Amino acid sequence: GGGGGGMDSMADLVMPAIQQRVPPTLREADVSGLDCQPISVCVVCYAPPCPRNIWANSEFLSMSSLTLQEYQTQDYSRMSSADLEKTQWEDRYQTVQVRKETILERTVVPAKGGTGRMSVETLCTPIRWETPVPQGEAASHPGQTETQQVEAVMVVHWPVDVQSQLEANTTYMTSLLECSPYPLCFFTFDGHLITCNPAARAVFGKTIWLQSDIFGMGERERRGLNAANPTHPSQGGSFKIEKTERRTAYEDMMDALAAVGSSFEVDIPIKRDMGDGSSMVWYCRVFAQRQKDPVTGEPIIMVSHQDVTNLRKVEGELGRMLMSEHTSRELKKHDSDVAGSLLVLLGEGWKFKEAHKDRSVDGEGSGDEEDNNDSAGGMSIVHEFMTAASQDAPPTSTKANQLQGLRDVLEKADSWDFDVFELEAEADGLPLQVLSWHVFVKHGLIEEFNLDHVRLVNFLRVVENGHSDNPYHNATHVADVVQSMHMLLSKGGLTQYVGRLEVLAALLAACVHDFEHRGLNNDFLIKSGDDWAIDSNDKSPNESHHLSSAYRIIQAPECNFLYRMPQAQQAQLRKLVIDLVLATDMAEHMAIVSKLKTDLQKRLESPEDDIQMGGEVPDALKTLMLQAAIKIADIGHLYASHDVHIKWSERLEEEMWRQGDVEKKRSMKISFLMDRDKPGVTKSQPGFVDFVVRPLFDTWVACFPKCQTLMDRVETNYHYWKLKEQTAEGAVSNDSS
């Protein structure tokens, strides 16, 4: 039983006996399929002098109120059987067991539970029952398992009502399959086709033999998905698994169908063979549902397909129209001071200047202004908002110039020379919103993961507003970390080893990694018994709060930009974000550096390891890479330009002094480097680089050589602090002499 469904399995067992008079072999180890059938099955040897019971399935034993051991030890020689029953034994022995023919009888037997009687059809089929030879009786053949066979009869009792129900169900399902204009297929859970209808054969031809074929996957995409596709290469061959949209959809389907009664739906592009040697790509809506084989009870998957190429085009246009209308309403809710930033967030800012370049400062148009708006590709939304702005709004040309300045700054976001303070000035004090949207668009995440545009804007706005006006841990610092993570992904070599979901997780983690930070470190929160420390059981109280608060924002309907993602994918994303944000706790620093050396650097330096050549990267290793990346991004000011680095260092020093002020006010011991009356963090930068920064960056650059420029820039800033330290020491030496 199992692979091809209960009905087909029974036919496979019975038909050879009828057609060839050669009884099939039934092995004791292969009866699980029969054991779960809703019909009673038993195996009996009718050889004289009296029958000997061999095996029975659960349904038969339940109807007989016997255990398998009791059934097998029944002694018919001591039973006073009627002549009619003895005649039946003899008939079954001669007809079925000797002449290898089948017998079909209709009889009345006691009903299940002992209440009444029921009509059954009894099918007697010749078989050979094979069992292992008991230990001690087998000949000496090391490495081999000897078996013995017994000529026997398999007796199947089909309740007439069950048989009629199954026949009606089979007829109904067959007609549905044959008549449906959509391709319909049934698969086993291990990937193999059970049956499909003519529409499916017309679309997929002879290629449809695995579940993965319905997703149009190639050989590399299918690797490791089932037994037909190996997880390891042949000797001397290359082995690379392609993580494509189709493979991701397939894996999501299998995750979604883990629960009984579950279903899964996805739209994906599939290459379709046109039959004349050519092919075309069509958008296919794949709907999969987990069902149960009515005979064996085993899980099977029903899959249907629908060509939605034209529907997708209509949906796309309708979606854009609704998005435009929604965007217009959302924009009007905000004052004109944030208009420029929101326009950039919504993708309209790049056309703004060009659309208004012919307008005068006082807003007078050329007479065909309405037509110009319509031809600007969505600019009517911008114009509608600007004309609805307050009387105090800046002139159009001023706003256009501001947007152009913002554009110029964002173009530098693809460079290690990025100055986040320029962005802060150009973005009306909203650097995190603007930059986060920019990198999400840059990486194509909104389209790929079907993120909700407006809810993403709402989420970013709430996150930015949730940052306090700390000297260091503020929204501008977070924007700086987002930009560094963007660079590590796009130009640091990281995407060679991680997939698209990891990219989304890395950028989202960077966005929220300091959410609602109060400018106090974990040690202070724990020592002072702060609520955050109590809630987290003293385990990374800051980072735990950043995560829980950020995900509460995501749960709000107006901010849940992830709601279209499958639940399994959302869970995977959440786990990654948690692992990354928790890694920003400095208490985890040395452990991550150590694992980076042992788990990643050694593998990359080993000539026998294939991960640099496209081999599969374990999920744990991907997470480790991203954890190290967010730690590097979190101290990214160390490789910033000199002026930016100095500004961040002074801000960090001021924030640490403010914590020292709080500690002094509470009569607590003032933490190291936090006493205003003593040298602060700017006086200890060389030591911090030598003992904390350099081990991390040296290991990272060894793993990702494209990041060598970061180490060079760190060294430049390091030498500044080192020279300053030496100068100060020289001055002290001169004074003492």
Side-chain angles (χ1 to χ4, degrees):
M7 297 289 289
D8 291 342
S9 300
M10 185 67 70
D12 291 342
L13 191 64
V14 173
M15 291 307 296
I18 298 175
Q19 295 173 350
Q20 303 175 16
R21 304 288 176 89
V22 177
T25 299
L26 183 62
R27 297 174 179 82
E28 188 176 18
D30 299 334
V31 295
S32 58
L34 294 174
D35 197 43
C36 65
Q37 292 189 26
I39 54 177
S40 63
V41 182
C42 62
V43 177
V44 183
C45 176
Y46 286 102
C50 61
R52 178 170 64 88
N53 296 336
I54 297 176
W55 179 86
N57 73 345
S58 300
E59 184 72 13
F60 182 94
L61 296 173
S62 176
M63 293 180 63
S64 305
S65 300
L66 296 171
T67 66
L68 180 60
Q69 185 178 4
E70 290 171 343
Y71 173 73
Q72 290 173 330
T73 56
Q74 274 187 335
D75 188 355
Y76 286 93
S77 63
R78 297 184 179 183
M79 297 173 62
S80 56
S81 302
D83 292 339
L84 180 61
E85 193 171 30
K86 292 180 179 179
T87 302
Q88 184 186 67
W89 295 347
E90 177 65 22
D91 185 40
R92 290 181 179 178
Y93 171 69
Q94 292 294 339
T95 304
V96 183
Q97 203 164 318
V98 176
R99 297 199 299 270
K100 313 302 181 189
E101 297 175 355
T102 60
I103 295 177
L104 182 63
E105 307 168 341
R106 175 164 290 195
T107 57
V108 177
V109 298
K112 186 175 182 179
T115 57
R117 300 174 69 80
M118 64 178 181
S119 178
V120 298
E121 285 190 352
T122 303
L123 179 66
C124 301
T125 309
I127 65 166
R128 286 175 180 161
W129 179 260
E130 182 177 289
T131 57
V133 175
Q135 292 185 354
E137 300 180 13
S140 178
H141 295 288
Q144 296 184 4
T145 302
E146 294 193 29
T147 60
Q148 60 185 5
Q149 292 186 345
V150 176
E151 299 288 340
V153 177
M154 184 173 71
V155 182
V156 181
H157 297 294
W158 288 79
V160 174
D161 57 340
V162 172
Q163 183 185 20
S164 301
Q165 180 181 352
L166 288 175
E167 288 177 350
N169 184 64
T170 301
T171 302
Y172 175 69
M173 294 302 293
T174 301
S175 64
L176 278 180
L177 278 174
E178 298 298 319
C179 298
S180 174
Y182 303 119
L184 290 172
C185 319
F186 285 89
F187 292 91
T188 61
F189 254 75
D190 63 357
H192 291 87
L193 178 71
I194 299 173
T195 186
C196 63
N197 68 347
R201 289 190 291 271
V203 171
F204 297 101
K206 297 180 180 179
T207 66
I208 181 166
W209 64 289
L210 290 171
Q211 287 170 3
S212 51
D213 291 323
I214 64 176
F215 288 84
M217 282 192 271
E219 179 183 355
R220 285 184 179 271
E221 294 174 281
R222 271 205 300 264
R223 283 177 171 170
L225 291 178
N226 48 51
N229 302 110
T231 57
H232 300 288
S234 58
Q235 187 173 2
S238 63
F239 190 76
K240 181 178 181 181
I241 296 176
E242 292 186 7
K243 283 285 189 178
T244 62
E245 180 182 4
R246 292 182 295 272
R247 182 182 174 102
T248 300
Y250 177 87
E251 292 172 339
D252 290 344
M253 178 186 78
M254 298 308 295
D255 289 341
L257 298 182
V260 177
S262 54
S263 61
F264 175 80
E265 183 176 319
V266 65
D267 289 0
I268 55 173
I270 294 180
K271 185 177 290 187
R272 178 175 179 177
D273 186 0
M274 302 306 294
D276 56 358
S278 63
S279 61
M280 65 171 288
V281 175
W282 59 306
Y283 250 99
C284 182
R285 180 158 296 170
V286 180
F287 177 78
Q289 187 176 50
R290 174 171 171 151
Q291 298 186 354
K292 184 185 292 186
D293 188 299
V295 176
T296 67
E298 295 180 358
I300 58 176
I301 301 175
M302 183 196 77
V303 182
S304 69
H305 299 72
Q306 181 182 1
D307 186 348
V308 293
T309 305
N310 293 328
L311 180 60
R312 288 278 296 202
K313 294 178 181 178
V314 174
E315 287 178 344
E317 291 300 321
L318 180 60
R320 278 188 287 273
M321 293 169 60
L322 293 174
M323 180 64 192
S324 296
E325 181 182 354
H326 191 184
T327 301
S328 179
R329 290 198 307 268
E330 291 297 312
L331 283 173
K332 290 179 181 180
K333 295 178 182 179
H334 305 280
D335 58 50
S336 59
D337 290 340
V338 298
S341 298
L342 288 175
L343 293 176
V344 174
L345 284 176
L346 294 164
E348 307 290 351
W350 303 150
K351 298 178 182 178
F352 186 88
K353 186 174 181 181
E354 289 77 1
H356 291 79
K357 62 184 178 181
D358 294 329
R359 299 182 185 175
S360 61
V361 174
D362 60 4
E364 293 180 1
S366 59
D368 55 352
E369 186 174 322
E370 184 175 350
D371 295 335
N372 290 338
N373 285 336
D374 292 338
S375 64
M379 287 310 303
S380 57
I381 302 168
V382 179
H383 179 61
E384 183 178 352
F385 174 76
M386 296 304 294
T387 55
S390 67
Q391 297 296 321
D392 296 330
T396 298
S397 59
T398 303
K399 185 60 67 176
N401 290 334
Q402 181 183 2
L403 291 177
Q404 184 59 40
L406 189 55
R407 177 183 185 181
D408 293 340
V409 173
L410 287 176
E411 286 177 349
K412 298 176 185 177
D414 293 329
S415 167
W416 296 114
D417 288 318
F418 180 71
D419 184 349
V420 72
F421 295 111
E422 288 185 11
L423 175 64
E424 182 184 46
E426 294 290 346
D428 289 334
L430 302 173
L432 180 55
Q433 294 182 53
V434 174
L435 187 66
S436 297
W437 178 273
H438 176 72
V439 297
F440 269 61
V441 172
K442 195 84 173 178
H443 287 272
L445 300 174
I446 297 173
E447 291 76 15
E448 179 162 355
F449 292 100
N450 198 19
L451 307 180
D452 187 290
H453 297 67
V454 172
R455 296 186 188 191
L456 176 57
V457 172
N458 290 339
F459 170 76
L460 294 174
R461 183 182 302 116
V462 174
V463 169
E464 178 133 41
N465 291 338
H467 285 83
S468 301
D469 190 22
N470 301 313
Y472 184 85
H473 288 101
N474 51 42
T476 304
H477 161 70
V478 175
D480 203 27
V481 175
V482 171
Q483 190 272 339
S484 290
M485 182 61 81
H486 159 64
M487 287 296 296
L488 291 170
L489 290 166
S490 59
K491 295 190 177 180
L494 194 54
T495 50
Q496 178 182 349
Y497 304 104
V498 301
R500 299 292 292 158
L501 187 65
E502 286 82 13
V503 173
L504 175 60
L507 293 173
L508 180 55
C511 285
V512 304
H513 84 280
D514 276 338
F515 184 53
E516 295 184 344
H517 202 295
R518 289 148 54 193
L520 303 169
N521 65 15
N522 284 335
D523 188 54
F524 175 88
L525 297 177
I526 294 171
K527 287 181 178 179
S528 63
D530 190 87
D531 286 345
W532 292 9
I534 294 172
D535 291 342
S536 64
N537 297 315
D538 294 346
K539 176 65 175 176
S540 304
N542 265 317
E543 292 72 23
S544 298
H545 179 82
H546 304 328
L547 284 163
S548 59
S549 294
Y551 263 91
R552 287 191 185 96
I553 301 303
I554 292 178
Q555 286 181 336
E558 63 273 12
C559 295
N560 187 3
F561 62 95
L562 302 172
Y563 75 96
R564 296 186 186 127
M565 290 176 63
Q567 288 299 319
Q569 196 174 43
Q570 288 192 45
Q572 187 180 358
L573 175 67
R574 173 171 159 79
K575 182 181 184 305
L576 282 168
V577 172
I578 291 173
D579 289 341
L580 267 61
V581 174
L582 290 178
T584 61
D585 184 353
M586 283 303 294
E588 304 295 326
H589 183 84
M590 297 311 298
I592 290 176
V593 173
S594 177
K595 289 185 67 177
L596 201 64
K597 286 177 178 289
T598 57
D599 295 0
L600 179 60
Q601 186 177 354
K602 285 187 177 180
R603 287 196 63 173
L604 293 174
E605 291 174 350
S606 172
E608 299 177 358
D609 205 303
D610 66 343
I611 61 172
Q612 291 194 74
M613 305 302 296
E616 187 168 7
V617 182
D619 289 341
L621 199 57
K622 294 178 183 178
T623 301
L624 176 61
M625 293 179 188
L626 295 174
Q627 287 176 320
I630 198 171
K631 291 191 70 64
I632 287 174
D634 200 17
I635 52 176
H637 71 88
L638 291 165
Y639 51 76
S641 62
H642 178 70
D643 292 341
V644 173
H645 169 60
I646 297 299
K647 188 178 292 187
W648 278 125
S649 298
E650 292 173 347
R651 285 180 172 223
L652 178 59
E653 185 174 58
E654 173 59 28
E655 184 170 305
M656 294 175 72
W657 279 342
R658 289 187 184 184
Q659 177 176 319
D661 295 342
V662 175
E663 291 172 335
K664 184 181 293 185
K665 186 176 181 180
R666 296 189 181 189
S667 299
M668 298 171 62
K669 181 181 178 181
I670 301 178
S671 301
F672 179 58
L673 299 177
M674 297 190 183
D675 192 337
R676 286 186 185 273
D677 300 327
K678 297 179 181 179
V681 69
T682 57
K683 305 299 187 293
S684 64
Q685 285 289 65
F688 178 69
V689 172
D690 285 333
F691 297 106
V692 178
V693 176
R694 199 181 302 280
L696 172 61
F697 275 70
D698 283 343
T699 308
W700 182 263
V701 171
C703 298
F704 300 94
K706 291 182 179 180
C707 292
Q708 178 61 49
T709 183
L710 302 187
M711 195 69 245
D712 297 340
R713 296 167 71 92
V714 169
E715 292 292 348
T716 299
N717 289 324
Y718 171 81
H719 288 307
Y720 164 79
W721 294 112
K722 195 69 175 175
L723 180 61
K724 192 172 183 179
E725 181 183 75
Q726 292 170 353
T727 302
E729 290 174 353
V732 171
S733 177
N734 292 333
D735 290 342
S736 62
S737 62

